[in-house]
Amino acid sequence: MREPSLGIFTLVVDSWMIMLTGKIVNGLTIYGFWAAFLIALIVTLLNEIINSIKQ
């Protein structure tokens, strides 16, 4: 498991990357930072679930 402070920082960086992807990809609209943060949180949770199932 990751350290909590590093996890929050990682979510913020992931949110910025999702927002950047929304700017680059035509047809993909991200409505602000909090929408991107929610997407990053969902992706992180799904990743943790899939990794726990794999092991």
Side-chain angles (χ1 to χ4, degrees), residues 1-5 7 13 16 20-22 25 30 34 36-38 41 44 46 48 51-52:
M1 200 79 179
R2 295 184 204 144
E3 293 293 321
S5 60
V13 171
W16 289 335
L20 179 62
T21 303
V25 176
I30 306 296
W34 291 112
F37 187 84
L38 181 62
L41 183 62
T44 301
L46 287 174
E48 290 293 325
N51 283 336
S52 68

Side-chain angles (χ1 to χ4, degrees), residues 47-55:
N47 188 28
E48 290 293 325
I49 291 169
I50 290 170
N51 283 336
S52 68
I53 291 172
K54 281 177 30 178
Q55 294 176 356

Side-chain angles (χ1 to χ4, degrees), residues 17-30:
M17 294 303 294
I18 290 169
M19 291 177 69
L20 179 62
T21 303
K23 298 285 185 191
I24 294 171
V25 176
N26 292 330
L28 178 64
T29 305
I30 306 296

